[in-house]
Amino acid sequence: MAEAAVTVAGGEVVAAAEGSGSAGLSLGRGFSSYRPFEPQEGGLPAGAEPNPTFPALGIGMDSCVIPLRHGGLSLVQTTDFFYPLVEDPYMMGRIACANVLSDLYAMGITECDNMLMLLSVSQSMTEEEREKITPLMIKGFRDAAEEGGTAVTGGQTVVNPWIIVGGVATVVCQPNEFIMPDSAVVGDVLVLTKPLGTQVAVNAHQWLDNPERWNKINMVVSREEVELAYQEAMFNMATLNRTAAGLMHTFNAHAATDITGFGILGHSQNLAKQQRNEVSFVIHNLPIIAKMAAISKASGRFGLLQGTSAETSGGLLICLPREQAARFCSEIKSSKYGEGHQAWIVGIVEKGNRTARIIDKPRVIEVLPRGATATALAPDNSSASSEPSS
């Protein structure tokens, strides 16, 4: 693996991972520079009541919900895109598709009627590189869409200084097919369905070939542990949140969002602003890919323990009734849904002014990567039924 130095906003030079294979393609800007648009002031103003005929979703939430003129149906639509962050073009396509679909899944929607793919091809690529890399990204995107029960029927491809990959997901729903993210109540429990730390894992993997950066973290992590964390992050990012979306209905979820570019704290704050009731979210537990918390601390970057580290195609953060949360966590791990699904109770909903916070010393749950042994990494001390104290 090689690296390319890229200057981003603010003058910071970050590492951009090179593509795998003989093409040697630089897949784009470093993940540490990735940020979506800053969240806008959204949610319900104090004392305001939501319009019952038109859902009140502010900018910064996951999907737009548009009531149609007839049939009591709503159009739910979302779009997302970003720069590549892993070396494998096929996996990058899968991650991009999973990331787009997560905005629907965050509303409890399990079916998608149509997808479009957005792809920007780098002008610095040679013809040979385009012929090798582009079809792999498209195939990854299409395969993930097929896994989600939908299809890619079109899109747009342009030439740009960087590779950009993303898409659009659209579905027409009946009211019982989606869960508006605005009904959390005091006493609810917050559940997270994927571990945090993808940004740290991707950057640490790039730093393996950057002695200056690697020397800042090599006292707290080994090369093998970084490789395992990177593979785990890639697997998690490519995993659809569709199972969790379906279980939101089974276990009477009151609200949810997916954890992506704003980090768990930013998305929790956005979700809290949308609530009808006067509530606040308090996060006590942080499930993190093993060793990533130590890397974040040693490097002085990311803000993982502060909840500000960006994620891509992260898990769903779901507000569930307290009596349902442990059952949700147990059910999602069932073999009937396939491998790889996880969930942790991470916080509570209490009376408040529509804000979110992480306690001063959150409990870090070290999530062991698949393929790692208990002696190679710290054991996973998570417990699906362990609730934070009020």
Side-chain angles (χ1 to χ4, degrees):
M1 181 184 71
E3 281 190 341
V6 180
T7 303
V8 298
E12 181 186 9
V13 178
V14 297
E18 295 286 340
S20 57
S22 59
L25 167 66
S26 175
L27 284 184
R29 303 196 304 186
F31 191 33
S32 61
S33 68
Y34 164 64
R35 281 294 188 279
F37 294 109
E38 290 301 315
Q40 304 296 310
E41 290 296 326
L44 300 175
E49 292 296 326
N51 185 332
T53 62
F54 200 94
L57 282 185
I59 294 174
M61 292 309 296
D62 299 310
S63 300
C64 65
V65 180
I66 306 169
L68 301 180
R69 291 188 298 273
H70 36 256
L73 301 174
S74 293
L75 175 74
V76 183
Q77 192 170 58
T78 184
T79 184
D80 207 343
F81 63 88
F82 49 78
Y83 304 100
L85 55 138
V86 299
E87 294 179 337
D88 187 328
Y90 174 79
M91 289 300 291
M92 192 60 247
R94 289 193 68 100
I95 292 167
C97 183
N99 191 64
V100 174
L101 286 171
S102 278
D103 289 339
L104 298 185
Y105 298 149
M107 298 191 67
I109 296 169
T110 59
E111 305 299 326
C112 176
D113 291 333
N114 183 63
M115 292 197 76
L116 304 176
M117 184 176 184
L118 307 175
L119 181 61
S120 167
V121 179
S122 174
Q123 62 192 20
S124 64
M125 294 169 66
T126 66
E127 190 65 30
E128 180 183 10
E129 289 171 343
R130 292 180 188 179
E131 290 177 357
K132 289 182 177 180
I133 302 300
T134 305
L136 288 172
M137 286 197 290
I138 293 173
K139 177 173 172 51
F141 195 96
R142 283 179 168 169
D143 285 356
E146 183 177 343
E147 181 183 329
T150 188
V152 182
T153 61
Q156 179 70 31
T157 304
V158 298
V159 176
N160 194 57
W162 307 282
I163 294 177
I164 299 174
V165 58
V168 179
T170 304
V171 62
V172 176
C173 290
Q174 295 181 350
N176 65 346
E177 293 182 285
F178 63 91
I179 298 171
M180 291 299 294
D182 61 1
S183 300
V185 299
V186 174
D188 277 355
V189 170
L190 302 175
V191 168
L192 182 65
T193 65
K194 290 183 185 179
L196 307 170
T198 54
Q199 180 191 37
V200 182
V202 168
N203 276 271
H205 191 253
Q206 293 177 0
W207 294 351
L208 290 175
D209 291 335
N210 183 327
E212 182 180 354
R213 292 282 173 83
W214 175 246
N215 288 338
K216 292 183 178 180
I217 64 172
N218 63 6
M219 296 298 292
V220 299
V221 67
S222 69
R223 287 180 173 270
E224 179 188 6
E225 289 166 343
V226 169
E227 291 284 359
L228 286 169
Y230 173 75
Q231 294 297 324
E232 179 71 9
M234 189 160 56
F235 178 88
N236 286 334
M237 290 186 289
T239 298
L240 302 183
N241 283 317
R242 193 182 188 192
T243 297
L247 293 178
M248 285 172 60
H249 295 270
T250 304
F251 294 98
N252 303 314
H254 292 151
T257 187
D258 63 328
I259 306 303
T260 52
F262 300 140
I264 188 170
L265 180 60
H267 285 285
S268 298
Q269 291 170 337
N270 284 348
L271 184 62
K273 290 177 183 177
Q274 300 294 325
Q275 301 312 304
R276 296 169 181 260
N277 298 313
E278 293 183 351
V279 296
S280 289
F281 301 158
V282 182
I283 297 171
H284 298 77
N285 300 328
L286 295 175
I288 296 174
I289 298 171
K291 298 292 184 177
M292 297 304 101
I295 292 175
S296 179
K297 185 176 180 180
S299 66
R301 299 160 64 92
F302 308 115
L304 187 55
L305 296 181
Q306 292 73 41
T308 57
S309 183
E311 307 289 336
T312 289
S313 190
L316 301 187
L317 182 71
I318 308 170
C319 300
L320 288 164
R322 180 177 291 269
E323 64 275 11
Q324 301 278 31
R327 292 173 55 208
F328 177 100
C329 292
S330 177
E331 178 66 16
I332 199 171
K333 297 177 183 178
S334 171
S335 60
K336 64 186 175 184
Y337 302 117
E339 296 182 358
H341 297 293
Q342 307 173 82
W344 301 266
I345 292 173
V346 298
I348 59 173
V349 178
E350 62 182 23
K351 186 173 179 59
N353 57 349
R354 300 186 180 92
T355 59
R357 65 182 177 90
I358 298 175
I359 63 171
D360 289 340
K361 295 182 179 180
R363 173 186 174 223
V364 174
I365 301 172
E366 295 267 327
V367 180
L368 199 66
R370 278 154 279 234
T373 62
T375 55
L377 290 168
D380 178 359
N381 59 353
S382 66
S383 172
S385 60
S386 64
E387 295 188 20
S389 58
S390 299

